[in-house]
């Protein structure tokens, strides 16, 4: 999504609230506290099993008619290997970090550029695995991770693995080598820096993959991926020791997860798992999810992972925390909360269509986390009415964070939710897209001191373009923190004031 509103204006003055103010309409400053809570991310389970897992191959196959050929064989124009066919389509396999874990990707491109692209998917997943699951010496076997999306912008100094050494001519390039095409210049060998004798030779396999994608060279892409998978398999399944009683070396990719206990899961890994899961389990159902009653509380919309990430960081959820999502839709926020923080999460959704998608998605999400070798917190979903659910009434007093995506909720629904917040414990958060207080920066008076919302200390925060699914512009969301101690002090002052007036009258 794009918007002319690139940034939101800062507060015109420092945040200030009077002794009787319980909220602010000014944007809160960014949190500088980036503390990391120690968490054991490593999954003891292997990645195999579940034959019902909804893979990339299944996601594309169910919508195969909406895909077209992308790759070709430059050496054989008659080669139909890379054409779409219901029973025989081009595929590639990629090894994932966990033992017995890999995935098949159909090498076709979507006709609609906004739909799921498995070729882009396998490329991004490969880069994420190499960057975050390998040591620098292990990474050197693959070459540097490409930093550009256009190979013409790259300065590649390694050989390409290609079955088409004589690419077709396009246009001539300018300069002292004007007799060569731009593509031929990419193949022209360049001087290589002398490698230390102890370092493995840089074969630039990742650049070979990227270049093959840009040239649409199918055989070159498959050849590079075969070499990459061979290296990954050797790292995952080291050779057995000669001594049958000796301990077998572990899967070094999966062992890397142990190093995240103190540093936290890399954000790139978190986002890649979330995106993969969404593409496979939610993406194919987008059209069905749009069938809702317009201008009602059932309108379907989503918070994007970037905004959810910020909210979870601000509220400092941990493994022993409880997260509630009232109106959880397809469950994308629920699963992110449990993966990002390890917390226990619960979501309830009234609409049967997204509720069904959510149940299937959560099952597949747990399997996908195992593929990456990571643990995820407990996840519970319910299809039903948040106002009538006994489970909501049971859990809300235990909740540390309650999320309510109430941007389009009818006012009557918001009013009915407010009494439930009286059961929240001290310090709990309610995050919403519309505030649950009558007005921001309002003074607490004798008339409204008994209002339910007086227990909240409320802060307004901005979100930027692309943070939500229902619009291209930015907006604001609201953090309500239960602060009964502050409320008690304000109430005590009112009661003391009343007592003083009564004494003077006597």
């Amino acid at each position: 999504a794009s918007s002319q509103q690139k940034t939101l204006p800062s507060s015109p003055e420092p945040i200030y609230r009077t002794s009787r103010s319980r909220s602010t309409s000014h944007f809160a400053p960014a949190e500088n506290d980036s503390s990391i809570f120690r968490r054991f991310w490593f999954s003891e389970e292997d990645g195999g099993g579940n034959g019902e897992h909804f893979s990339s191959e299944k996601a594309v196959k169910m919508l195969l008619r909406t895909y077209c050929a992308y790759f070709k064989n430059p050496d054989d124009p008659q080669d139909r290997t890379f054409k779409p066919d219901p029973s025989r389509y081009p595929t590639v396999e990629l090894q994932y970090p966990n033992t017995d874990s890999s995935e098949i990707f159909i090498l076709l491109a979507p006709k609609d550029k906004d739909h799921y692209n498995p070729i882009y998917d396998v490329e991004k997943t490969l880069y994420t695995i190499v960057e975050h699951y390998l040591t620098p010496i292990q990474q050197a076997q693959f070459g540097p991770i490409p930093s550009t999306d256009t190979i013409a912008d790259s300065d590649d100094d390694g050989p390409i693995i290609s079955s088409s050494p004589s690419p077709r001519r396009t246009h001539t390039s300018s300069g002292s080598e004007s007799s060569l095409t731009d593509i031929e210049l990419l193949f022209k060998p360049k001087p290589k820096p002398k490698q230390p004798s102890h370092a493995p030779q840089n074969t630039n396999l990742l650049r070979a993959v990227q270049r093959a994608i840009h040239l649409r060279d199918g055989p070159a892409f498959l050849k590079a991926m075969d070499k990459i998978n061979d290296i990954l398999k050797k790292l995952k399944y080291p050779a057995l020791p000669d001594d049958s009683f000796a301990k077998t070396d572990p899967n070094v990719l999966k062992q890397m997860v142990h190093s995240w206990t103190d540093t936290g899961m890399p954000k790139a890994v978190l986002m890649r798992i979330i995106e993969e899961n969404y593409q496979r389990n939610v993406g194919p159902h987008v059209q069905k999810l749009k069938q809702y009653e317009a201008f009602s509380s059932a309108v379907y919309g989503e918070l994007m992972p970037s905004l959810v990430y910020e909210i979870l960081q601000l509220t400092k959820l941990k493994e022993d925390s409880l997260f509630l999502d009232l109106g959880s839709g397809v469950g994308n926020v629920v699963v992110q909360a449990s993966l990002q923080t390890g917390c226990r999460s619960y979501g309830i959704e009234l609409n049967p269509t997204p509720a069904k998608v959510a149940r299937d998605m959560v099952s597949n999400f747990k399997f996908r986390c195992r593929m990456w070798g990571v643990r995820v917190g407990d996840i519970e979903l319910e299809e039903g009415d948040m106002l009538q659910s006994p489970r909501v009434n049971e859990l809300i007093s235990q909740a540390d964070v309650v999320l309510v995506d109430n941007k389009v909720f009818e006012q009557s629904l918001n009013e009915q939710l407010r009494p439930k917040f009286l059961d929240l414990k001290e310090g709990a958060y309610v995050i919403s897209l519309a505030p649950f207080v009558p007005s921001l920066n309002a003074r607490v008076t004798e008339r409204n001191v008994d209002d339910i919302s007086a227990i909240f200390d409320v802060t307004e925060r901005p979100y930027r373009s692309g943070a939500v699914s229902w619009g291209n512009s930015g907006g604001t969301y609201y953090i309500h923190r239960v602060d009964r101690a502050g409320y008690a002090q304000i109430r005590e002052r009112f009661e003391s004031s009343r007592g003083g007036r009564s004494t003077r009258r006597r």
Side-chain angles (χ1 to χ4, degrees):
S2 62
S3 172
Q4 293 181 350
Q5 183 177 358
K6 299 300 182 184
T7 60
L8 290 168
S10 58
S11 300
E13 57 184 326
I15 295 176
Y16 172 79
R17 60 188 75 183
T18 68
S19 60
R20 292 183 181 180
S21 175
R22 299 288 285 159
S23 60
T24 175
S25 61
H26 299 311
F27 296 148
E31 293 281 342
N32 294 321
D33 183 6
S34 58
S35 58
I36 296 172
F37 301 105
R38 283 179 55 87
R39 182 193 167 195
F40 189 64
W41 300 87
F42 185 84
S43 173
E44 301 290 349
E45 299 179 276
D46 287 341
N50 195 353
E52 298 301 317
H53 172 59
F54 201 78
S55 65
S56 171
E57 181 181 14
K58 290 181 180 179
V60 174
K61 190 174 180 180
M62 70 181 290
L63 299 172
L64 197 62
R65 68 182 183 278
T66 67
Y67 284 79
C68 60
Y70 178 83
F71 286 113
K72 56 193 172 185
N73 184 348
D75 289 340
D76 183 5
Q78 304 303 316
D79 186 356
R80 298 188 58 82
T81 303
F82 298 98
K83 300 290 185 182
D85 185 279
S87 59
R88 188 176 59 186
Y89 39 76
T91 63
V92 71
E93 182 179 20
L94 175 64
Q95 291 291 319
Y96 274 68
N98 206 345
T99 305
D100 298 328
S101 182
S102 65
E103 187 158 16
I104 301 294
F105 296 80
I106 296 179
L107 298 179
L108 297 174
K111 295 177 182 178
D112 185 334
K113 62 182 179 61
D114 292 327
H115 290 177
Y116 170 55
N117 189 330
I119 299 170
Y120 171 89
D121 194 28
V122 70
E123 182 187 17
K124 295 302 180 184
T125 295
L126 170 61
Y127 296 164
T128 303
I129 292 171
V130 172
E131 182 175 4
H132 296 287
Y133 281 80
L134 301 177
T135 65
I137 291 178
Q138 293 164 352
Q139 291 172 1
Q141 300 179 69
F142 301 87
I145 296 171
S147 58
T148 60
D149 291 330
T150 305
I151 68 169
D153 295 335
S154 67
D155 185 20
D156 186 24
D157 60 0
I160 187 169
I161 300 173
S162 176
S163 60
S164 52
S166 302
R168 296 175 297 160
R169 289 182 177 271
T170 53
H171 59 279
T172 58
S173 59
S174 60
S176 60
E177 299 180 284
S178 59
S179 60
L180 296 175
T181 67
D182 288 341
I183 295 180
E184 287 171 329
L185 284 172
L186 290 171
F187 285 87
K188 182 180 177 181
K190 296 181 181 180
K192 297 181 182 180
K194 188 174 181 180
Q195 296 278 352
S197 58
H198 64 277
Q201 184 178 3
N202 184 350
T203 55
N204 247 331
L205 289 170
L206 300 184
R207 297 299 292 157
V209 166
Q210 189 187 54
R211 188 181 297 175
I213 291 174
H214 281 274
L215 295 176
R216 301 195 176 202
D217 189 335
F221 179 78
L222 293 176
K223 190 171 183 179
M225 288 299 299
D226 283 344
K227 289 184 175 292
I228 286 169
N229 280 310
D230 285 344
I231 298 174
L232 291 174
K233 286 178 182 177
K234 289 178 181 177
L235 294 171
K236 289 173 61 175
Y237 312 107
L240 296 175
D242 295 333
D243 184 354
S244 57
F245 293 99
K247 188 176 182 180
T248 305
D249 291 334
N251 172 353
V252 296
L253 276 76
K254 186 175 178 181
Q255 290 299 308
M256 181 61 74
V257 179
H258 281 297
S259 68
W260 301 345
T261 299
D262 295 321
T263 62
M265 175 188 287
K267 186 177 180 181
V269 175
L270 170 73
M271 292 302 180
R272 188 91 281 270
I273 296 173
I274 292 168
E275 185 175 358
E276 282 188 337
N277 185 66
Y278 189 95
Q279 290 165 336
R280 290 152 180 73
N281 298 286
V282 181
H285 305 287
V286 166
Q287 292 305 317
K288 291 190 298 184
L289 292 169
K290 291 180 179 179
Q291 298 173 5
Y292 51 73
E293 181 184 352
F295 310 111
S296 72
S297 297
V299 171
Y300 176 69
E302 295 177 345
L303 307 187
M304 295 294 103
S306 59
L307 178 56
V308 177
Y309 184 89
E310 176 184 304
I311 290 171
L312 297 176
Q313 289 286 94
L314 288 170
T315 54
K316 302 184 185 302
L317 283 169
K318 297 182 289 186
E319 281 189 285
D320 58 355
S321 302
L322 174 61
F323 173 81
L324 303 188
D325 188 351
L326 305 183
S328 52
V330 296
N332 55 313
V333 178
V334 172
V335 298
Q336 182 171 342
S338 282
L339 177 58
Q340 183 174 329
T341 71
C343 73
R344 180 165 59 107
S345 60
Y346 164 89
I348 182 168
E349 172 58 40
L350 178 63
N351 193 321
T353 301
K356 170 64 167 59
V357 172
R359 288 192 294 271
D360 296 338
M361 186 268 288
V362 167
S363 174
N364 285 288
F365 183 75
K366 294 176 180 178
F367 182 85
R368 183 150 298 275
C369 288
R370 293 207 308 273
M371 291 175 65
W372 286 85
V374 297
R375 296 170 60 242
V376 62
D378 292 336
I379 301 170
E380 179 184 349
L381 294 177
E382 179 182 352
E383 179 181 340
D385 185 341
M386 67 181 81
L387 297 175
Q388 304 297 326
S389 168
R391 188 62 172 155
V392 170
N393 295 337
E394 177 185 355
L395 293 177
I396 200 162
S397 62
Q398 308 169 34
D400 296 278
V401 176
V402 178
L403 174 68
V404 188
D405 183 357
N406 62 339
K407 184 70 173 179
V408 296
F409 278 13
E410 297 169 2
Q411 186 59 31
S412 60
L413 178 54
N414 283 325
E415 290 296 328
Q416 288 175 290
L417 277 173
R418 279 165 29 109
K420 290 187 176 293
F421 301 148
L422 289 173
D423 293 330
L424 288 168
K425 61 187 178 184
E426 187 74 359
Y429 292 97
V430 174
I431 313 296
S432 65
L433 276 293
F436 282 102
V437 295
S439 62
L440 296 176
N441 271 346
R443 288 168 59 85
V444 179
T445 67
E446 290 188 78
R447 291 184 178 181
N448 63 21
V449 70
D450 292 321
D451 187 272
I452 293 170
S453 61
I455 67 169
F456 284 132
D457 187 13
V458 188
T459 304
E460 182 180 21
R461 286 188 61 87
Y463 64 77
R464 288 177 167 77
S465 172
V468 296
S469 66
W470 55 80
N472 293 334
S473 60
T476 54
Y477 66 97
Y478 303 87
I479 302 176
H480 310 69
R481 188 173 186 273
V482 176
D483 179 20
R484 292 187 179 87
Y487 167 71
Q489 292 176 1
I490 294 174
R491 187 179 180 85
E492 183 179 354
R493 284 198 294 271
F494 280 127
E495 291 176 348
S496 298
S497 176
R498 290 192 197 108
R501 289 198 300 270
S502 175
T503 301
R504 286 193 296 272
R505 283 196 296 271
R506 287 197 299 269

